[in-house]
Amino acid sequence: MSVEAPFRSEVTVTGMTCHHCVTSVTEEISEIDGVDAVEVSLDSGAVTVLADREITRPEIEAAVAEAGYALAD
């Protein structure tokens, strides 16, 4: 990921099984105001969000839920 942003958030998403899942999660999180880049690993479920402001866990959780998935505890 080559985007430089002052804020970085990392979460794990459960339930993703294919590249369509990755695309859905990426698109929903990308719609959060201030998000500059999203990187999703299908294998581990790890999601890294780079933004120009602090993105809260509830914001990410809502976007992930909109895509049909959930965050790991």
Side-chain angles (χ1 to χ4, degrees), residues 4-72:
E4 288 193 28
F7 295 95
R8 176 186 186 104
S9 301
E10 295 180 0
V11 296
T12 301
V13 175
T14 61
M16 295 187 298
T17 59
C18 66
H19 291 291
H20 174 69
C21 300
V22 170
T23 300
S24 296
V25 168
T26 301
E27 288 175 355
E28 290 297 334
I29 294 174
S30 294
E31 291 181 11
I32 298 171
D33 184 48
V35 170
D36 295 321
V38 180
E39 182 177 281
V40 180
S41 169
L42 178 60
D43 293 334
S44 67
V47 176
T48 302
V49 180
L50 299 179
D52 59 12
R53 67 174 182 86
E54 183 175 353
I55 305 298
T56 66
R57 183 177 172 93
E59 287 178 289
I60 296 170
E61 190 168 27
V64 168
E66 186 68 28
Y69 306 95
L71 295 184

